Amino acid sequence: MERFLEDLFGDQVTPQRRIAVFTTPDRHTRFFDRLGRLVDYARRRSPSQNVYFGVGLVQGEPRGRGRRDDICAIGALWCDIDIRSPAHPKENLPGSLEQAEGILQGMPLRTSIVVHSGHGLHAYWLLHEPWIFESDEERKQAARLAKAWHGLVCRKAAALGWSLENLGDLTRVLRLPGTLNHNGPGEPAEVRILESDSDRRYGPDDCEQFLPPMEETSPSGHVTVDALVLRPEAEPPAIKLLEAASQSPLFWQTWNRQRPDLPDQSQSGYDLSLATIAVLRGWTDQEIADLIIAARRYHGHKPEKALREDYLRRTIAKAKQAGEDGSDQPVDLSGICSDQPVFPSRPKLIERRLSAVTRESLEWLWPARVPLGKLTLLAGDPGLGKSLVCLDIAARVSTGAAWPDAPLLKQPAGVVILFSAEDDLADTIAPRLDRAEADDSRIIAVEGVELQDAQRDEALRWYFSLENDLPRLEEMIIENPETRLVIIDPISAYCGKIDSHKNAEVRSLLAPLAELAGRHRVAIVAVTHLSKTGGTKAVYRAMGSLAFTAAARAVWAVLKDQTDPGRRLFLP
């Protein structure tokens, strides 16, 4: 790991030029000016987190991972090639390692380093020496070169029938060799170096000779547009299209040409509005081009115009002027492309007199431990039995068996909905439930979300996210009215893009989940890990924001008994 970083950055990692290390699913960023400390940190995080590093060195004290203007140096050009797998289910990706390597073999310069990312390839073309930006103009020049080089990789892939995303922006993070890739089902995949020749180095001029003229800029001179692949049958990315349609009413109205507020009611006006919203939602230039092509074809408004590269590049360049280059902060889409307020009436507080509140007694799934209609948190270090406790609870609910501390108290049998991101159904979960004598006909495991694409006659699949897919969970509860328990193990795996260390974001995620539990009188048990922080109160040890603990009605910890190594304690 350290040798890899030395090959990339040499001795240019200093307190003024640091490496960003980004981890998921906690979405935490740290900056390092010493490779040894970075390596120690990455190895500690890798068993439970995805670990990425920034390809550009960062200056100053940026927010998040930093934006383009915070990048002060690069040590290589790079590309990211996904391979079709459960982790990357798109059909138009290379289907094997050999096919991905075939794209690289078509490049005019040989790679210096090739890394197997677990579900794809990361390739690097080392520079003779790290490119330290002496001015903003140099930074822009490097940004254009990196995008154009990755664009060349995308064009080589397109010639072979594959569609890749151009990830050549200076703020890009890629996986760190020597860590584990936790995405996808099954065991984590090792991120490892397949090929390395640190003597194989290039200058910017060596690369530019194989590229088309530098990308077109907007009238302001600050916006670049990637090279585009234009196909009459192009379709926008289905999942991003669904997200935009469900989260931004303006996007859906624009797609359907239902925007009376737009001054320009031509299809070109709608193209620009669609492009602007897509830019602010983080779509790539190629995805925006595919969106415009599909929109014109769908509405029958001169679809041939969308196949003119000059038109698409001008439209995307204009749209990008409204965006923030390199920003990974969430964007408020409520007023994009509209002069009219989304909520024309004046908001007011929702009030309720306490005299009108009907008093209710707290109901329990497991008396005095797991309440119905509430969120319960179960925390503990890895390997102590949190998941085993959850499956024991699930087995008892499925059969109506008594609780261990109340053997004479009967309970009604009910349905259990199970989310498990860390254990395999066939070799771990089902055998454990069998040993616990569960009624497995009452236990439903959720493996993802599926949408049938009628136009392509295929199913689109993605992993469940509490941020976007909670309505699907509510539909399942309604379809199974005997549901009494939902288990989410671990909750961090289902948080989507939420930063689990930010109170506001966590509260916005958990509040709808708690409301769902209350509406349907089901118990929700969420599993989390303990942080490594020592010498602090137990309430602060749950991984991520304190909002996880604050949102739960009950919080339990599974701990080792210090006096009996074979015993576990279940403590409030």
Side-chain angles (χ1 to χ4, degrees):
M1 188 184 302
E2 188 165 351
R3 174 64 183 276
F4 167 79
L5 294 171
E6 286 177 348
D7 287 343
L8 276 179
F9 300 117
D11 58 359
Q12 296 303 319
V13 181
T14 69
Q16 292 74 41
R17 293 187 291 269
R18 298 176 294 165
I19 301 177
V21 175
F22 178 66
T23 54
T24 65
D26 64 359
R27 295 182 62 81
H28 183 65
T29 302
R30 283 190 60 179
F31 298 93
F32 292 88
D33 57 23
R34 296 186 184 180
L35 297 185
R37 290 183 179 178
L38 185 159
V39 170
D40 289 342
Y41 174 80
R43 286 175 175 163
R44 290 197 309 270
R45 305 283 284 190
S46 178
S48 61
Q49 298 273 316
N50 295 301
V51 183
Y52 305 83
F53 78 100
V55 296
L57 298 180
V58 178
Q59 61 188 355
E61 298 293 336
R63 290 183 58 190
R65 302 197 303 263
R67 297 165 61 178
R68 191 185 72 175
D69 290 347
D70 299 309
I71 305 300
C72 60
I74 57 173
L77 299 179
W78 61 90
C79 75
D80 183 352
I81 303 175
D82 290 336
I83 295 175
R84 188 170 66 252
S85 68
H88 301 296
K90 289 173 58 177
E91 289 297 323
N92 55 355
L93 293 175
S96 66
L97 180 64
E98 291 71 23
Q99 289 176 339
E101 289 175 332
I103 298 172
L104 297 177
Q105 291 167 5
M107 291 294 287
L109 299 177
R110 293 185 63 187
T111 52
S112 308
I113 302 173
V114 178
V115 174
H116 194 302
S117 65
H119 302 292
L121 293 181
H122 295 167
Y124 301 87
W125 290 263
L126 296 174
L127 301 177
H128 289 306
E129 57 184 9
W131 186 352
I132 310 299
F133 307 146
E134 300 294 340
S135 65
D136 187 51
E137 187 54 42
E138 272 197 48
R139 183 182 297 107
K140 292 176 184 176
Q141 181 183 354
R144 290 193 294 268
L145 177 60
K147 270 287 189 181
W149 187 254
H150 205 305
L152 179 59
V153 176
C154 294
R155 290 198 296 277
K156 296 293 183 181
L160 297 173
W162 315 121
S163 177
L164 301 183
E165 184 177 356
N166 188 331
L167 302 176
D169 48 288
L170 295 186
T171 56
R172 180 58 44 193
V173 292
L174 297 176
R175 291 186 180 272
L176 196 55
T179 62
L180 296 176
N181 183 331
H182 295 273
N183 292 346
E187 292 296 317
E190 181 185 2
V191 182
R192 65 188 191 277
I193 295 176
L194 299 180
E195 173 189 341
S196 180
D197 185 347
S198 59
D199 293 329
R200 196 177 293 153
R201 293 179 177 268
Y202 308 97
D205 293 343
D206 297 325
C207 304
E208 287 177 354
Q209 63 176 313
F210 298 105
L211 300 174
M214 277 302 176
E215 310 298 351
E216 179 179 325
T217 62
S218 69
S220 66
H222 295 295
V223 178
T224 63
V225 179
D226 298 339
L228 303 173
V229 178
L230 308 183
R231 297 171 292 115
E233 72 283 3
E235 294 282 356
I239 292 177
K240 287 187 176 181
L241 182 68
L242 288 170
E243 288 178 347
S246 62
Q247 296 170 7
S248 170
L250 283 175
F251 178 90
W252 193 235
Q253 293 164 9
T254 307
W255 171 264
N256 287 301
R257 290 184 54 86
Q258 297 172 344
R259 292 285 307 283
D261 57 294
L262 280 182
D264 182 359
Q265 286 291 314
S266 69
Q267 186 60 45
S268 296
Y270 277 95
D271 290 346
L272 180 57
S273 296
L274 281 173
T276 303
I277 299 175
V279 163
L280 291 175
R281 295 190 66 87
W283 290 35
T284 67
D285 295 351
Q286 183 63 58
E287 290 169 341
I288 297 170
D290 292 344
L291 174 68
I292 295 173
I293 293 171
R296 280 188 170 264
R297 185 180 67 245
Y298 177 75
H299 291 289
H301 283 277
K302 296 183 178 179
E304 66 279 1
K305 186 173 182 179
L307 298 176
R308 283 174 36 197
E309 186 170 6
D310 61 327
Y311 170 73
L312 285 176
R313 293 168 69 80
R314 282 198 305 273
T315 302
I316 296 172
K318 290 177 182 177
K320 290 175 76 170
Q321 291 181 58
E324 296 182 340
D325 261 351
S327 171
D328 61 0
Q329 303 302 316
V331 178
D332 179 5
L333 296 174
S334 61
I336 290 177
C337 304
S338 176
D339 297 327
Q340 304 298 322
V342 176
F343 304 107
S345 61
R346 181 181 178 185
K348 64 178 184 178
L349 295 178
I350 301 172
E351 63 178 48
R352 189 179 182 190
R353 300 258 177 196
L354 267 292
S355 58
V357 175
T358 302
R359 273 58 173 174
E360 297 177 351
S361 299
L362 187 63
E363 297 181 70
W364 297 92
L365 180 78
W366 181 356
R369 300 187 189 277
V370 179
L372 280 171
K374 308 289 182 182
L375 174 64
T376 297
L377 196 65
L378 183 59
D381 287 326
L384 294 187
K386 300 184 301 299
S387 299
L388 191 61
V389 169
C390 288
L391 293 180
D392 181 80
I393 294 173
R396 293 174 188 273
V397 171
S398 72
T399 60
W403 298 103
D405 55 350
L408 300 181
L409 186 63
K410 294 184 178 180
Q411 64 161 324
V415 170
V416 179
I417 297 175
L418 174 65
F419 295 83
S420 179
E422 295 185 345
D423 291 323
D424 186 84
L425 288 175
D427 62 27
T428 302
I429 292 175
R432 285 179 172 179
L433 289 170
D434 290 343
R435 288 194 290 273
E437 298 182 346
D439 180 353
D440 54 14
S441 68
R442 291 177 174 269
I443 299 178
I444 304 171
V446 178
E447 298 182 285
V449 184
E450 181 178 274
L451 175 70
Q452 191 66 35
D453 187 336
Q455 289 185 341
R456 297 187 181 184
D457 193 25
E458 63 181 8
L460 304 172
R461 297 180 179 179
W462 61 91
Y463 293 104
F464 181 90
S465 162
L466 289 169
E467 183 182 10
N468 300 320
D469 299 317
L470 200 58
R472 310 291 85 74
L473 173 58
E474 185 158 23
E475 289 171 2
M476 179 174 284
I477 292 173
I478 293 172
E479 291 168 1
N480 297 273
E482 295 182 356
T483 300
R484 287 173 55 79
L485 173 64
V486 176
I487 295 173
I488 305 174
D489 181 11
I491 192 168
S492 58
Y494 299 97
C495 288
K497 297 178 181 178
I498 291 295
D499 188 334
S500 62
H501 287 81
K502 292 184 177 179
N503 283 341
E505 294 190 26
V506 173
R507 284 196 298 269
S508 69
L509 183 77
L510 296 185
L513 182 63
E515 290 172 3
L516 181 148
R519 272 196 307 276
H520 298 284
R521 309 304 292 170
V522 299
I524 297 181
V525 175
V527 174
T528 188
H529 297 295
L530 292 177
S531 68
K532 299 185 183 300
T533 306
T536 187
K537 292 183 179 180
V539 71
Y540 298 110
R541 289 288 311 283
M543 185 73 76
S545 163
L546 184 62
F548 281 108
T549 302
R553 178 62 176 81
V555 184
W556 297 90
V558 175
L559 304 169
K560 284 184 179 180
D561 185 340
Q562 299 300 319
T563 63
D564 183 352
R567 190 168 181 242
R568 299 290 179 264
L569 303 178
F570 187 74
L571 302 175

